[in-house]
Amino acid sequence: MTNIRYMTTYMTMRRYLLSALGFSMMTLSMSAHATSAPESQPDITSCPASFYAVKIHEEARQCQRFDAQMPASMVYFVNDSTDALVAFYLALMPDLHLKGEHNARILLTNDAGDVRVVVSPDGEGAQIDILVVADTQTSTESSAAE
């Protein structure tokens, strides 16, 4: 019981920290673009087609991967509405379901709870936070996502 409570608290704290970190990174990126001569840019990597079991939107940008080990997490930005992105995930990943909404953040999760996608409004688009608790793909697909 203590382990379950610890994991639930850990995952809740992690989700909010990842969201705050992603927001901070977006704010830093936006302020760097606002000046005529930015001093530094965040590390922006090309976005993969998927991150473990989760599809990545084809217009994703500013992909940031945070963990190489399970649980793994990634954040990215799309210049589209939160409603359009929720529809995108629900259509392409029928195992995801709308779990809830809090402070304009929409949580999608699978029945097992090992895949979580949070869609949040961010300026003219949306931020997507992905948390994969357990790898449900084969090792070949997983290594392609990395």
Side-chain angles (χ1 to χ4, degrees):
M1 184 68 166
T2 302
N3 287 341
I4 293 171
R5 187 175 308 170
Y6 172 76
M7 284 303 293
T8 303
T9 302
Y10 171 76
M11 298 311 290
T12 302
M13 288 176 33
R14 181 185 173 114
R15 184 172 58 236
Y16 285 108
L17 288 173
L18 285 174
S19 181
L21 178 60
F23 179 77
S24 298
M25 290 170 40
M26 288 299 298
T27 303
L28 175 64
S29 175
M30 291 167 64
S31 66
H33 289 288
T35 63
S36 58
E39 293 179 17
S40 66
Q41 296 283 332
D43 291 334
I44 298 172
T45 61
S46 60
C47 298
S50 64
F51 180 70
Y52 293 96
V54 181
K55 306 281 188 210
I56 304 298
H57 195 279
E58 60 274 0
E59 295 179 16
R61 56 191 166 124
Q62 296 179 328
C63 291
Q64 299 288 319
R65 183 178 177 147
F66 293 101
D67 299 309
Q69 302 287 328
M70 286 294 146
S73 57
M74 185 173 130
V75 175
Y76 71 90
F77 175 82
V78 175
N79 194 17
D80 210 343
S81 71
T82 56
D83 290 339
L85 288 160
V86 168
F88 167 82
Y89 276 107
L90 293 176
L92 287 181
M93 298 183 65
D95 58 325
L96 290 180
H97 308 286
L98 183 63
K99 183 71 172 182
E101 183 175 348
H102 182 69
N103 289 339
R105 292 180 177 90
I106 301 167
L107 173 62
L108 305 172
T109 186
N110 63 357
D111 289 335
D114 56 3
V115 174
R116 297 179 187 120
V117 177
V118 178
V119 181
S120 310
D122 189 350
E124 297 293 318
Q127 175 180 307
I128 311 302
D129 297 275
I130 301 168
L131 178 64
V132 179
V133 177
D135 186 4
T136 57
Q137 298 179 351
T138 64
S139 58
T140 304
E141 290 172 325
S142 296
S143 49
E146 298 179 40

